[in-house]
Amino acid sequence: MSENDTGWPYIRRAESVAFYPTENIVSWSVREAIFYNGDMSRHLIGFIPGKSGRVTSAIQTFCPENRTITTQSGRVYTLKGMPGSSDDGQYVWKYWSAGNFVIHDIDVTDEYTRQIKNLVM
């Protein structure tokens, strides 16, 4: 296996933040993950155009004005279009959440879209 392999079927690690400090993401959603040890974090799930599905590291900040989310890795994601669901993103989430011992998750996308819509209204 190469250093980019995760050990999960057909899933590769995202490229280094040093090479790709920003990404656009479409068909996006946000999930709050509850781990077996009681820890909780939120993760952006979606599709990176021209690449593949993505589950991000934990969300650190959200800027509704710019529609950006900065994650624990330091990468900044720009939310393109309306929230949605990507088959590729859901596939990655399935394996990522199992491999990271997520025992429960909650879709919290509406919390983010409400903040974006409040700026438009």
Side-chain angles (χ1 to χ4, degrees), residues 110-121:
D110 284 347
E111 291 180 30
Y112 293 78
T113 55
R114 270 196 302 274
Q115 291 182 58
I116 292 168
K117 285 180 183 176
N118 284 340
L119 292 171
V120 176
M121 306 296 245

Side-chain angles (χ1 to χ4, degrees), residues 1-2 4-13 95:
M1 288 186 161
S2 76
N4 287 334
D5 290 334
T6 61
W8 302 318
Y10 307 107
I11 298 175
R12 299 181 66 79
R13 293 188 195 282
Y95 285 98

Side-chain angles (χ1 to χ4, degrees), residues 17 20-23 25 30 41-44 54-64 66-79 112:
V17 174
Y20 296 95
T22 62
E23 294 275 15
I25 191 163
V30 179
S41 58
R42 289 183 173 191
H43 302 268
L44 182 59
R54 176 78 49 95
V55 171
T56 70
S57 57
I59 293 172
Q60 300 299 300
T61 62
F62 170 53
C63 178
N66 297 327
R67 297 178 57 114
T68 57
I69 286 178
T70 303
T71 62
Q72 188 172 7
S73 70
R75 185 169 282 138
V76 178
Y77 291 89
T78 301
L79 307 175
Y112 293 78

